[in-house]
Amino acid sequence: MNKKNKISEVKYFETNKTFKFENGETIENLTIAYTVNGRLNLNKDNAILVCHAFTGDSNVTLWWSNFVGKNKAIDINKYFVICSNVLGGCSGTTGPSSKKSKGNSYYGTDFPTFTIKDIVKAQKILIDYLGIKKLYCVVGGSMGGMQALQWTATYPDTIKKAIIIASSMTHSPMQIALNEIARQAITEDNEWYGGKYYGISSPDKGLALARMLGHITYMSEEYMREKFGRKRKKSLKYFTPSFEVENYLHYNGEKFTTRFDANSFLYLTKAMDFFDVRDEIKKIKTKKNISLNKVLIISFISDWLYPSSQSVDIVDAYNHSNIETEFHEIKSNYGHDAFLIKNEEQAKYIHNFLKS
């Protein structure tokens, strides 16, 4: 961990109200885990909401320390930066691994199915609680980018700018297929017990396999070749890991099971697969009192999971609604994970966009 980026204090907002999902189902006493960095100015017009990616959490100055912090692209000396763990997550916000408001049992798969729009609705409740009427910017990469997209579609009257990185308005058949394989790895684990495993066991083998598949999609072939090549390690048996890339996947898969919940994995991947905001973006121009006036789109040339063609589609949709849109495709060999890694070009684009 970079010593200059300390862990922010995680705060918990308990709504004490009924939260209604898009599908009509409800839960009581929604809790939202969040962090804030920087200071909200007197006019309350310097707030930036950063939406985390699929397996992230509210500690944005850790997982995005290359871009959020003092004198960084998103400068907490200047901006008030908010980041909340998503609805259905497993890092403090109410989700499948939470206990029900009544009784002592866990939600498990009784938790309502939710959408990206539900996630954003919960974030809006938090922003209202913080007394912020208008966000200066909403930022997100990957699944975080989907949330930023949904913010512009649902609340274009409460934000001025949006930054969407390595994301998509809707998943392609390939993206859905990859997520389904990952979900099957979990649900076919004998320890999953139909999602009712809390206090009994944990489908760690299935979750680790799902994460291993994910890691492959986050990297480019070129980066994997440079990082691993065909380097080998001594293996005890023929069918045990022999190559460094195999050991890397096994290590990260096993490590992942110590910090993430299998049911949250299932729910969040489904939310991403069902996400489709194309028509909503194109209809922004029909809404009244729109304050959204600028959008920055960034993609990476080596990202085959969320290719640049999907970012171009986003640009076209915003242009259709007459929203000023800036687009940059960055050369990087890291693949999809490039948006998380230190990159002076990405930092420059974000910095310049925010100050413009």
Side-chain angles (χ1 to χ4, degrees):
M1 183 184 77
N2 188 335
K3 292 181 180 180
K4 294 182 180 179
N5 291 279
K6 298 179 181 179
I7 297 176
S8 304
E9 177 191 358
V10 179
K11 302 175 184 291
Y12 299 90
F13 168 47
E14 297 182 6
T15 63
N16 297 320
K17 293 181 180 179
T18 299
F19 182 86
K20 188 175 182 179
F21 291 78
E22 191 177 358
N23 65 6
E25 294 187 66
T26 61
I27 59 171
E28 301 297 326
N29 304 322
L30 169 66
T31 296
I32 302 172
Y34 70 100
T35 62
V36 293
N37 288 275
R39 291 186 178 181
L40 188 63
N41 63 19
L42 291 176
N43 293 328
K44 296 186 177 182
D45 60 2
N46 68 330
I48 293 178
L49 174 67
V50 178
C51 305
H52 70 71
F54 172 35
T55 62
D57 56 33
S58 61
N59 254 308
V60 64
T61 53
L62 285 183
W63 60 261
W64 221 28
S65 62
N66 292 314
F67 302 95
V68 179
K70 293 182 178 180
N71 304 313
K72 300 288 180 70
I74 303 177
D75 189 354
I76 61 174
N77 290 319
K78 183 177 181 180
Y79 302 109
F80 181 65
V81 180
I82 308 154
C83 183
S84 63
N85 183 221
V86 296
L87 172 73
C90 50
S91 296
T93 295
T94 306
S97 60
S98 303
K99 287 186 177 180
K100 296 179 180 179
S101 56
K102 295 180 180 180
N104 201 38
S105 60
Y106 295 89
Y107 278 106
T109 46
D110 290 336
F111 196 76
T113 55
F114 57 85
T115 62
I116 298 296
K117 186 175 287 186
D118 289 320
I119 289 173
V120 169
K121 179 181 178 180
Q123 291 168 344
K124 180 63 164 58
I125 291 172
L126 173 64
I127 297 305
D128 291 343
Y129 162 74
L130 294 173
I132 300 166
K133 293 183 178 179
K134 192 163 293 186
L135 289 164
Y136 181 67
C137 190
V138 178
V139 187
S142 194
M143 189 187 83
M146 293 180 178
Q147 295 162 60
L149 280 159
Q150 191 65 63
W151 264 94
T152 69
T154 307
Y155 306 111
D157 57 332
T158 61
I159 59 176
K160 290 187 66 177
K161 300 181 178 184
I163 300 175
I164 297 145
I165 308 170
S167 195
S168 172
M169 291 186 292
T170 186
H171 267 180
S172 68
M174 184 196 73
Q175 289 162 330
I176 295 170
L178 289 167
N179 277 345
E180 177 59 11
I181 294 170
R183 286 190 292 265
Q184 285 295 308
I186 293 170
T187 58
E188 291 299 312
D189 188 314
N190 290 332
E191 302 297 311
W192 184 60
Y193 293 123
K196 306 292 185 181
Y197 51 83
Y198 301 106
I200 302 172
S201 62
S202 182
D204 288 347
K205 289 183 179 179
L207 182 58
L209 281 172
R211 184 60 168 177
M212 288 167 71
L213 174 63
H215 261 292
I216 296 169
T217 67
Y218 302 152
M219 296 182 286
S220 70
E221 183 177 4
E222 180 184 356
Y223 178 64
M224 292 182 75
R225 189 182 300 113
E226 290 179 3
K227 184 176 178 67
F228 306 110
R230 287 182 54 82
K231 295 176 184 176
R232 298 180 65 174
K233 289 190 174 183
K234 186 177 180 180
S235 56
L236 298 176
K237 296 181 180 179
Y238 189 75
F239 292 110
T240 56
S242 306
F243 295 91
E244 283 196 4
V245 66
E246 293 175 306
N247 282 283
Y248 171 84
L249 292 174
H250 280 277
Y251 170 78
N252 281 282
E254 292 168 9
K255 183 180 178 181
F256 185 64
T257 64
T258 65
R259 72 172 184 86
F260 210 79
D261 176 58
N263 281 335
S264 281
F265 192 107
L266 298 174
Y267 274 81
L268 288 168
T269 54
K270 269 295 186 182
M272 286 188 282
D273 287 348
F274 278 113
F275 181 66
D276 189 345
V277 79
R278 292 171 297 185
D279 291 340
E280 291 181 73
I281 295 295
K282 292 179 180 179
K283 291 178 181 177
I284 291 176
K285 64 180 180 181
T286 66
K287 297 191 175 184
K288 297 180 180 179
N289 303 318
I290 296 173
S291 57
L292 175 69
N293 57 30
K294 274 188 172 184
V295 177
L296 170 63
I297 313 294
I298 295 174
S299 69
F300 298 90
I301 198 166
S302 61
D303 184 355
W304 62 272
L305 182 60
Y306 287 87
S308 292
S309 59
Q310 292 185 326
S311 289
V312 171
D313 289 341
I314 297 172
V315 174
D316 291 342
Y318 281 119
N319 285 337
H320 187 273
S321 278
N322 301 317
I323 304 294
E324 183 181 339
T325 308
E326 180 182 333
F327 171 60
H328 299 283
E329 182 183 48
I330 296 175
K331 291 182 179 179
S332 169
N333 71 339
Y334 285 111
H336 182 59
D337 265 356
F339 81 95
L340 295 169
I341 297 168
K342 187 175 182 179
N343 184 299
E344 294 301 327
E345 197 173 355
Q346 177 173 286
K348 178 186 70 174
Y349 292 139
I350 293 173
H351 172 77
N352 290 343
F353 179 78
L354 289 175
K355 75 174 186 178
S356 63

